[in-house]
Amino acid sequence: MDMENVHLAEEEDDLYSGYNDYNPTFDSEVSYFNSCRVSPVIARVPMASSMGRPMTGAIQVRPFVTAVQKARYNEASFKHLSSCRLDEKIKIMEKKVNDLIEESCMAHSLGASQLALEKAKEAGRKERALVRQREQSGSADHINLDLTYSVLFNLANQYENNDMYPEALNSYQVIVKNKMFSNAGRLKVNMANIYFKQKNYPKAIKFYRMALDQISNTHKEMRIKIMQNIGVVFVRMGQYSDAITSFEHIMSESPNLTVGYNLILCYYAIGDKERMKKAFQKLICVPLGIAEEDKYIPSNDDTHTNMVIEAIKNDQLHQMERERKALAEKFIMTAAKLIAPAIEPSFAAGFDWCVEMVKSSQYVELANDLEINKAITYLRQKDFNQAVQILKTFEKKDSRVKSAAATNLAALYSLENDYDQADRYADLAMNADRYNPAALINKGNTVFVKQDYEKAAEFYKEAFRNDSSCTEALYNLGLSYKKLNRLEEALDCFLKLHAILRNSAQVMYQVADLYELLEDPQQAIEWLMKLISVTPTDPKVLVKLGELYDSEGDKSQAFQHYYESFRYFPSNIDVIEWLGAYYIETQFCEKAIQYFERATLIQPTQVKWQLMVASCYRRSGNYQKALETYKDIHRKFPENVECLRFLVRLCTDMGLKEVQEYATKLKKVEKMKEIREQRVKSGREGSARGRKEGREGSADSGHSSQGTGTRGERLSAKIRSLPSSHEPYETSSQRELDAPYVDPLGPQMERPKSAARKWQEDDDFADEELGDDLLPE
């Protein structure tokens, strides 16, 4: 382009100058336009020159048209500006909805389910307001379907998390029925899960199958999971054949540990031995998909590589691999213990078959554990010899297995009170694995039995240092301190143990007992009340509470707990005696009769209870019934002095003729008693042989007296301290108690807990068979 022919307009030149000039001739027209409130532009339009410059002098209509066009442009600009502002407002509302969804999800992840639901509801309200805004602005076609889907889906999830299942199903139904949401059919899996939680199993099956139909074969993993759910629902319904069909299909397509284990359970339920074996073989062949442990062994050459190996040795991936392997071992061990008695004529043969299969698999190290479980099964059958023989075969194995077997043997010999053998195997277990807490506990127990409590405490402390979760060590340490009369330290141990085992009745009892020994009865009562909340029907604890309240002078509370103890165990003589004495003391002798009659049924050879029944009749004024009772006692115990004295007194007061007969018998019995006492006295003063014969005579005399009812007839101190009547109602001889068997370990609550190697968390053999002693699982 030739720049010479281009003429630039000067700054003062205006291309549109003259358009605002007008001829006065058109004033009327100007008035018209002003009345219409339109700014008129009446201008002279210059003619174009050859140079492209406008020329003036001609009047044109164009200025009016130009003015109208300018007005239209301003209206469009306003509409565009309004539209921009509306779009900006909508975007702000959308962001607010997204923020609420995010806040709802975060609240749920923090455990605030109610707050998460409130946020989800608020997001739903905001989203509906947003939709109405779009509809009013005429842009309903631009509704954000993804946002609507997110709001509904999150709301349904939060309803489900709050166990509001009908509301959750309604929200899911809104999504599923809307055809504008693509792939919404797979949400029927979530609906099926809700029906499963509601135990509506037929509907759960229906929705799982509907979801399965709407998921293509390309999503193989999801289809497998849905089929697995279907199988589990069939198991809950007891339809094992249908469940087997689902599980077998999964094991043929994509085998996994959980399905393999469930398949074994189904075969076990229908009693199919051969298919149980095949399913077990499939289970141990399921690939774990984890790396070999050899790659975590550091090499001595490359320091950098060793540092990397140490860094990744305990990373999350390795932890996940260990958890998967532990789960596989748990499934295999449990399945073997389940099917071993069923697949062969004897459980031993079944265990042997499982061991052979495991030895030829990738879980070869589980073979030893299965052998130990075989020994445990023998223990459940109380075949200790077979269990010992199996465990002794591990003495030459590697240290881990040797320590476990020796620990179990030590526990077994402790149960049989063969403490020498228990000590030997405890030493063997410690030598094989010094850090085995169970071995240290068993060693401490053998020392505890020998009453060397200081040394036992050292072993328990070492076990607790090696494993801070070993509650047996802490419990036994508390017992050791208690035996050493270091009560404050013992209390500290049991309080720490209570923080770990919140509902352990034994621990709470020990704390209460220690507070009582520390002369703090109020704390003892408080802890016994906690114990009652855990074991409300324990009669011994109720008696202990009654004793404490009685010692504090609170007779009403004492009576309440003694009565509760009697209600749960009506054969405790001490409780019966206390209740009878309580009613006598409170002048309700008629009510005391039923307790002493029960004592008579429990100890029919003890004359004192029958004397107490007769005394209660006499105190209540029923002399005829008292006389009949005394006569019945005399027939059973004709040489009982107290009974004859009461008969003489009653017959005298009632003017009966039998008084002389009973008086004669009383004199004869008293004379015989004096002769026996003289013989005993002369025997003690004689020679050594005489003293021996005197002791024998005394023993014979005591035995005779027991047979005739003259011994064991004295009431306890509690009854003797009651207000006396005109005549004595108790016997004069000392109360005779049977000598109790002295357990070398003391009372059951004072026994140290033995320990053994634990192999399976779900084995409750210790609780079922051996009480406090914890054997390997």
Side-chain angles (χ1 to χ4, degrees):
M1 184 180 216
D2 191 357
M3 295 299 296
E4 296 179 355
N5 296 326
V6 177
H7 297 274
L8 299 178
E10 298 180 4
E11 292 182 1
E12 63 273 9
D13 291 341
D14 187 0
L15 295 177
Y16 296 98
S17 61
Y19 287 122
N20 291 328
D21 298 333
Y22 62 94
N23 193 315
T25 310
F26 301 102
D27 282 344
S28 60
E29 296 184 36
V30 176
S31 301
Y32 170 77
F33 287 120
N34 283 334
S35 66
C36 294
R37 297 181 184 275
V38 179
S39 301
V41 181
I42 306 300
R44 300 178 185 273
V45 182
M47 297 297 292
S49 65
S50 60
M51 296 299 295
R53 299 289 299 253
M55 296 179 64
T56 61
I59 303 300
Q60 301 290 339
V61 186
R62 182 178 172 184
F64 169 72
V65 177
T66 305
V68 175
Q69 289 291 339
K70 186 175 181 180
R72 288 180 179 175
Y73 171 77
N74 291 336
E75 184 180 357
S77 299
F78 176 76
K79 288 184 178 180
H80 177 69
L81 181 61
S82 300
S83 177
C84 290
R85 289 178 178 176
L86 182 60
D87 290 343
E88 184 179 355
K89 182 180 179 181
I90 288 174
K91 287 181 180 179
I92 293 173
M93 294 178 69
E94 286 182 349
K95 185 178 184 304
K96 181 61 177 176
V97 173
N98 279 314
D99 290 342
L100 286 170
I101 294 173
E102 185 177 350
E103 291 172 9
S104 174
C105 295
M106 290 297 295
H108 171 67
S109 67
L110 297 174
S113 299
Q114 188 63 37
L115 177 61
L117 179 59
E118 293 300 325
K119 294 289 184 181
K121 288 181 178 179
E122 187 178 353
R125 290 192 292 268
K126 295 283 186 183
E127 195 274 334
R128 286 193 294 273
L130 176 61
V131 171
R132 287 194 298 269
Q133 185 72 37
R134 285 190 177 277
E135 290 175 348
Q136 290 173 5
S137 64
S139 58
D141 295 339
H142 297 85
I143 292 176
N144 191 341
L145 292 176
D146 292 337
L147 184 63
T148 304
Y149 179 89
S150 300
V151 168
L152 291 172
F153 182 67
N154 180 60
L155 182 61
N157 271 323
Q158 301 311 330
Y159 275 132
E160 185 177 355
N161 294 331
N162 284 272
D163 297 335
M164 300 171 68
Y165 298 132
E167 293 84 352
L169 289 172
N170 290 336
S171 298
Y172 280 125
Q173 198 73 25
V174 172
I175 302 175
V176 171
K177 287 187 175 181
N178 195 331
K179 296 182 179 179
M180 299 179 68
F181 296 136
S182 59
N183 298 324
R186 65 181 60 189
L187 291 183
K188 291 180 180 178
V189 174
N190 294 16
M191 300 175 71
N193 290 340
I194 294 175
Y195 285 122
F196 180 81
K197 291 178 182 178
Q198 293 178 324
K199 297 184 179 181
N200 190 348
Y201 300 130
K203 216 159 190 178
I205 291 286
K206 175 183 176 182
F207 274 81
Y208 279 133
R209 285 178 170 167
M210 290 168 64
L212 196 63
D213 292 339
Q214 296 184 11
I215 296 175
S216 63
N217 293 328
T218 56
H219 298 87
K220 182 179 179 181
E221 185 176 354
M222 183 175 288
R223 291 180 62 85
I224 289 295
K225 289 181 178 179
I226 294 175
M227 292 188 69
Q228 183 175 339
N229 287 1
I230 292 173
V232 171
V233 178
F234 277 130
V235 170
R236 291 294 182 92
M237 296 173 68
Q239 300 179 15
Y240 300 112
S241 299
D242 295 328
I244 287 170
T245 302
S246 297
F247 292 147
E248 284 181 341
H249 175 75
I250 296 172
M251 290 300 289
S252 63
E253 293 291 330
S254 178
N256 67 73
L257 294 169
T258 305
V259 174
Y261 178 71
N262 289 341
L263 185 59
I264 292 175
L265 294 181
C266 291
Y267 287 143
Y268 180 82
I270 63 175
D272 194 329
K273 299 180 181 180
E274 293 301 321
R275 294 169 85 181
M276 270 189 272
K277 289 183 177 181
K278 292 180 181 179
F280 186 79
Q281 290 173 333
K282 288 182 180 179
L283 178 63
I284 61 179
C285 292
V286 172
L288 291 179
I290 63 177
E292 296 293 334
E293 289 291 330
D294 296 342
K295 77 174 186 178
Y296 297 107
I297 299 176
S299 60
N300 297 324
D301 301 331
D302 192 347
T303 306
H304 179 71
T305 304
N306 293 344
M307 293 176 63
V308 173
I309 290 174
E310 287 297 326
I312 67 173
K313 198 170 184 179
N314 291 311
D315 63 359
Q316 291 185 354
L317 178 60
H318 193 204
Q319 291 175 6
M320 185 184 70
E321 290 176 348
R322 284 200 299 264
E323 290 173 0
R324 184 178 295 179
K325 186 176 181 181
L327 180 64
E329 292 176 353
K330 179 182 179 181
F331 281 153
I332 292 170
M333 292 290 292
T334 308
K337 289 190 292 184
L338 178 69
I339 68 173
I343 58 178
E344 298 291 344
S346 67
F347 85 90
F351 262 112
D352 292 339
W353 181 88
C354 293
V355 169
E356 291 301 320
M357 292 297 102
V358 170
K359 284 182 178 179
S360 60
S361 70
Q362 56 184 326
Y363 305 100
V364 62
E365 67 274 6
L366 288 182
N368 292 327
D369 296 349
L370 280 173
E371 288 284 358
I372 291 179
N373 274 278
K374 182 180 177 182
I376 298 301
T377 308
Y378 276 121
L379 287 178
R380 289 184 173 180
Q381 297 181 355
K382 298 183 179 180
D383 192 345
F384 295 101
N385 293 329
Q386 288 287 348
V388 170
Q389 289 178 8
I390 293 174
L391 292 173
K392 284 183 176 180
T393 61
F394 292 98
E395 291 186 21
K396 296 182 180 180
K397 297 284 185 178
D398 61 86
S399 60
R400 183 186 71 90
V401 179
K402 185 194 298 185
S403 179
T407 301
N408 292 330
L409 285 168
L412 277 173
Y413 283 119
S414 295
L415 293 174
E416 295 178 348
N417 296 330
D418 189 348
Y419 297 108
D420 293 333
Q421 287 285 2
D423 186 63
R424 172 176 170 267
Y425 280 103
D427 288 334
L428 183 63
M430 289 170 56
N431 293 333
D433 184 3
R434 181 66 189 184
Y435 299 100
N436 182 357
L440 291 165
I441 290 173
N442 288 339
K443 179 63 179 176
N445 289 351
T446 59
V447 179
F448 187 96
V449 171
K450 297 174 183 178
Q451 299 182 1
D452 190 351
Y453 304 120
E454 287 282 0
K455 194 172 182 181
E458 292 299 323
F459 283 112
Y460 296 143
K461 284 192 284 188
E462 186 178 355
F464 190 68
R465 283 194 298 267
N466 292 339
D467 184 5
S468 59
S469 65
C470 186
T471 55
E472 298 91 341
L474 192 56
Y475 186 91
N476 293 353
L477 181 61
L479 287 184
S480 301
Y481 285 145
K482 189 176 179 182
K483 292 289 185 181
L484 293 168
N485 203 32
R486 294 157 62 176
L487 301 181
E488 294 289 349
E489 295 176 76
L491 181 61
D492 183 59
C493 289
F494 287 114
L495 288 175
K496 288 179 180 177
L497 196 57
H498 176 69
I500 301 172
L501 305 174
R502 302 295 299 180
N503 295 322
S504 173
Q506 291 183 355
V507 174
M508 285 187 275
Y509 175 82
Q510 291 294 344
V511 173
D513 190 48
L514 284 166
Y515 273 121
E516 184 181 5
L517 294 174
L518 290 168
E519 298 181 356
D520 190 348
Q522 291 301 323
Q523 284 287 345
I525 289 173
E526 182 180 341
W527 279 90
L528 286 175
M529 292 300 293
K530 291 180 181 179
L531 177 55
I532 287 296
S533 67
V534 177
T535 57
T537 61
D538 191 326
K540 291 186 177 180
V541 178
L542 291 166
V543 168
K544 191 68 177 176
L545 265 172
E547 290 176 358
L548 287 172
Y549 277 118
D550 193 16
S551 65
E552 291 292 297
D554 192 341
K555 289 288 185 182
S556 60
Q557 286 288 345
F559 170 75
Q560 178 183 347
H561 290 96
Y562 271 112
Y563 180 77
E564 286 294 310
S565 176
F566 173 78
R567 192 163 63 90
Y568 291 119
F569 183 64
S571 300
N572 190 327
I573 290 294
D574 293 332
V575 175
I576 293 172
E577 184 176 357
W578 192 95
L579 289 170
Y582 174 81
Y583 280 120
I584 291 175
E585 185 179 4
T586 54
Q587 305 298 320
F588 289 100
C589 298
E590 298 88 349
K591 291 186 177 181
I593 292 172
Q594 60 177 325
Y595 294 102
F596 292 126
E597 285 179 343
R598 181 173 289 276
T600 302
L601 294 174
I602 297 171
Q603 293 181 344
T605 60
Q606 290 287 339
V607 69
K608 80 170 188 175
W609 308 121
Q610 300 180 49
L611 288 171
M612 288 304 303
V613 172
S615 178
C616 289
Y617 280 126
R618 181 172 52 80
R619 282 173 171 273
S620 61
N622 193 346
Y623 296 108
Q624 186 63 39
K625 189 69 175 177
L627 179 63
E628 294 175 2
T629 305
Y630 280 124
K631 286 182 178 180
D632 185 60
I633 295 171
H634 179 65
R635 283 193 296 269
K636 294 178 182 178
F637 304 97
E639 295 184 4
N640 186 273
V641 177
E642 301 298 332
C643 180
L644 287 169
R645 287 175 182 171
F646 285 124
L647 281 171
V648 170
R649 184 57 184 268
L650 279 174
C651 290
T652 301
D653 292 344
M654 297 174 70
L656 300 178
K657 298 179 180 180
E658 295 99 332
V659 62
Q660 189 61 41
E661 176 187 352
Y662 292 126
T664 304
K665 288 182 179 180
L666 176 61
K667 290 180 181 179
K668 184 185 294 185
V669 171
E670 286 179 342
K671 187 174 183 180
M672 290 176 62
K673 185 178 180 181
E674 290 177 2
I675 293 172
R676 289 194 188 101
E677 290 176 354
Q678 288 179 359
R679 286 178 181 175
V680 172
K681 184 177 181 181
S682 62
R684 290 174 180 172
E685 294 174 352
S687 61
R689 182 175 180 180
R691 286 196 301 270
K692 182 178 180 181
E693 291 175 354
R695 287 195 297 269
E696 292 176 355
S698 177
D700 293 342
S701 175
H703 185 272
S704 176
S705 298
Q706 186 177 3
T708 58
T710 58
R711 295 197 61 178
E713 299 168 359
R714 197 175 189 83
L715 289 178
S716 65
K718 221 174 272 182
I719 295 182
R720 290 201 306 272
S721 64
L722 296 176
S724 58
S725 60
H726 294 292
E727 306 90 24
Y729 59 85
E730 70 276 356
T731 58
S732 58
S733 60
Q734 294 292 328
R735 179 182 179 187
E736 182 178 356
L737 296 176
D738 295 333
Y741 168 71
V742 180
D743 194 318
L745 290 181
Q748 187 70 21
M749 283 292 187
E750 303 297 326
R751 289 178 180 269
K753 293 186 177 181
S754 62
R757 193 72 165 189
K758 295 183 180 179
W759 292 90
Q760 280 296 341
E761 293 297 332
D762 57 343
D763 198 310
D764 56 352
F765 169 63
D767 294 333
E768 293 179 359
E769 299 291 339
L770 300 175
D772 295 337
D773 299 319
L774 300 177
L775 284 181
E777 299 177 349

